[in-house]
């Protein structure tokens, strides 16, 4: 989700992969955020947490950096897999793959949440733009290694805009939830397919849209 042009000073962050067979406690910060540049900031990095149970009140951050002319790098990717516990009540902190500025010219990354109640690799994909209302979209494209896998649920909220690129089918087993200010858009040749044996639902407010770009 980075910028298409690199500017001096915008150094990209790295990837964090933490594995804990038991409880992983986050009371501080797990952070892989972009930096500022002369014009454009760099995108957020990647955070992958695997644990039995996640607890704490800290922050998990993969935000994009802010450039001097308000051009931001887009948010990065956060993946949290909790293998022994159902639900997320033990972690009361925040996770954010958005931007370091409210009105920055970029969009959010993605957050993937999977717990013990989910089928393996079929957790929830979250696109949350933290109420930043702009025209930028989060792409679901072939550069994402899991883009062709089925998601359990897809949640688009807080002015998030999910764009499915041409030729890609987003597969979902349980349903799609889009807030009243969220949007799901498809390029020509893109599609949404409900798969599996479970009942799937589509919920949303008055502005839920599935469009062709």
């Amino acid at each position: 989700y980075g910028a298409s042009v690199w500017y001096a000073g915008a150094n990209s962050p790295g990837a964090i992969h933490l594995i804990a067979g038991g409880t992983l406690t986050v009371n501080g910060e797990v952070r892989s955020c972009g930096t500022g540049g002369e014009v454009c900031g760099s995108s957020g990095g990647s955070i992958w947490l695997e644990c039995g149970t996640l607890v704490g009140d800290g922050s998990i951050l993969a935000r994009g950096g802010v450039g001097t002319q308000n051009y931001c790098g887009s948010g990065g990717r956060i993946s949290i897999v909790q293998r022994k516990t159902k639900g997320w009540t033990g972690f009361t902190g925040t996770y954010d793959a958005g931007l370091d500025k409210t009105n920055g010219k970029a969009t959010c990354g993605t957050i993937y949440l999977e717990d013990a109640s989910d089928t393996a690799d079929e957790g929830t994909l979250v696109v949350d733009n933290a109420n930043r209302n702009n025209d930028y979209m989060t792409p679901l494209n072939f550069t994402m290694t899991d883009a062709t896998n089925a998601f359990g649920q897809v949640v688009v909220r807080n002015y998030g805009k999910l764009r499915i690129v041409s030729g890609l089918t987003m597969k979902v087993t349980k349903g799609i939830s889009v807030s009243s200010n969220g949007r799901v858009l498809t390029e020509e040749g893109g599609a949404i397919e409900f798969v599996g044996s479970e009942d799937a639902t589509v919920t949303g407010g008055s502005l839920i849209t599935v469009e062709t770009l």
Side-chain angles (χ1 to χ4, degrees):
Y1 306 118
S4 58
V5 179
W6 181 85
Y7 293 93
N11 298 315
S12 295
I16 297 172
H17 187 190
L18 297 179
I19 302 174
T23 299
L24 175 61
T25 302
V26 179
N27 285 326
E29 282 189 353
V30 179
R31 183 182 182 93
S32 181
C33 296
T35 61
E38 294 179 4
V39 176
C40 181
S42 63
S43 65
S46 172
I47 298 175
W48 181 11
L49 306 182
E50 297 182 89
C51 60
T53 303
L54 179 66
V55 301
D57 58 3
S59 300
I60 302 167
L61 307 173
R63 294 172 176 161
V66 182
T68 57
Q69 296 187 25
N70 206 31
Y71 287 97
C72 298
S74 294
R77 297 186 71 190
I78 295 173
S79 175
I80 306 173
V81 179
Q82 182 178 245
R83 303 191 187 282
K84 296 182 179 179
T85 301
K86 298 178 181 180
W88 301 92
T89 57
F91 182 70
T92 58
T94 59
Y95 36 79
D96 186 356
L99 314 177
D100 264 339
K101 192 166 185 177
T102 301
N103 60 342
K105 298 176 182 178
T107 191
C108 59
T110 59
I111 299 169
Y112 176 80
L113 303 173
E114 180 184 322
D115 66 16
S117 66
D118 294 314
T119 300
D121 301 321
E122 291 185 9
T124 299
L125 176 69
V126 180
V127 178
D128 187 332
N129 208 32
N131 288 315
R132 302 175 182 92
N133 185 12
N134 56 37
D135 295 328
Y136 301 92
M137 295 178 284
T138 301
L140 185 69
N141 57 37
F142 291 100
T143 63
M144 298 172 59
T145 56
D146 52 0
T148 58
N149 295 345
F151 297 104
Q153 298 184 70
V154 175
V155 177
V156 183
R157 63 193 182 200
N158 297 328
Y159 288 104
K161 297 178 180 67
L162 177 63
R163 186 185 77 200
I164 303 167
V165 302
S166 177
L168 181 65
T169 297
M170 183 177 75
K171 298 177 182 178
V172 184
T173 62
K174 297 179 182 178
I176 300 174
S177 174
V178 183
S179 68
S180 61
N181 52 25
R183 296 171 70 185
V184 176
L185 307 102
T186 63
E187 295 180 359
E188 184 176 356
I192 299 171
E193 180 182 1
F194 292 97
V195 298
S197 59
E198 300 180 72
D199 291 337
T201 60
V202 178
T203 59
S206 60
L207 296 180
I208 178 173
T209 58
V210 178
E211 304 175 0
T212 299
L213 295 179

